[in-house]
Amino acid sequence: MPLQRSVRHWFALLCSLLPIASQADEASYWLIASPYTVHFRPSDEHRHVWLVGIERQTARGDLAGVTYFTNSFGQPSVFAYPFGKTYPGPIKWGDTTVLPENWYAKWAAGLLYGYKGKYEDKVPFNRDGLSPGVIVSLGRSMTENTQFQTNLLGANGLMFQFNTRLK
């Protein structure tokens, strides 16, 4: 991919985070890291997946962030998500608690960049390595500043993630 086109992709990813940055709501920032991902259908082509990133969460639960990771095929990748929401427990449905205290559910939506070449078809709606992405997660707050989280990667796998509050 020519450098000029690559710069445009990165610029689009960074600009996608601007809407959430303008909110006046007080926010906390989280450093996120994932050392391990399990694939539902392992392949000899799969490589070790790791992830690092930063996430911004407002007091209302609005979410935005950016992550850098190696995808399942060893390619450097980015997920920038200006849209998302965290739903802290307890959450009840009638008289039944479906999400206990100290647990949370989360979703994030944005742009995914990195599945290129012969792996472009591994992600829906991918064009030149750029595609929409949605992640749903379930996590547990261990302390006020520490969380463990599991991310569902479509029908392909689970990512195990550690979050620590920076501010």
Side-chain angles (χ1 to χ4, degrees):
M1 175 183 294
L3 179 61
Q4 183 181 18
R5 210 159 115 203
S6 179
V7 169
R8 282 197 313 254
H9 285 253
W10 285 106
F11 183 74
L13 287 171
L14 292 174
C15 285
S16 70
L17 293 176
L18 292 178
I20 194 96
S22 66
Q23 292 184 4
D25 203 358
E26 187 171 326
S28 58
Y29 292 85
W30 294 80
L31 177 65
I32 58 180
S34 171
Y36 185 70
T37 296
V38 62
H39 292 91
F40 298 144
R41 290 175 299 282
S43 163
D44 289 339
E45 288 187 290
H46 287 160
R47 302 290 174 253
H48 176 74
V49 176
W50 58 266
L51 171 143
V52 294
I54 190 155
E55 191 169 82
R56 180 181 189 271
Q57 183 175 322
T58 68
R60 294 184 318 216
D62 296 326
L63 195 62
V66 63
T67 62
Y68 177 79
F69 63 100
T70 58
N71 67 30
S72 300
F73 306 100
Q75 297 175 318
S77 302
V78 173
F79 180 48
Y81 48 102
F83 311 107
K85 189 81 170 172
T86 299
Y87 303 93
I91 296 175
K92 294 190 176 279
W93 187 8
D95 292 335
T96 305
T97 300
V98 293
L99 194 63
E101 193 167 346
N102 295 327
W103 286 79
Y104 60 88
K106 185 187 287 188
W107 65 268
L111 293 175
L112 177 63
Y113 179 75
Y115 287 80
K116 300 181 285 185
K118 70 179 189 175
Y119 302 113
E120 279 191 23
D121 66 340
K122 300 295 183 180
V123 178
F125 309 109
N126 191 350
R127 178 155 185 219
D128 296 326
L130 190 63
S131 63
V134 176
I135 302 291
V136 293
S137 310
L138 181 64
R140 186 170 196 286
S141 297
M142 305 308 286
T143 69
E144 185 177 307
N145 298 315
T146 307
Q147 301 173 332
F148 291 104
Q149 180 173 309
T150 303
N151 305 322
L152 180 62
L153 307 176
N156 298 315
L158 292 174
M159 175 178 276
F160 300 98
Q161 181 174 304
F162 173 76
N163 307 329
T164 186
R165 187 189 310 261
L166 298 174
K167 173 193 162 230

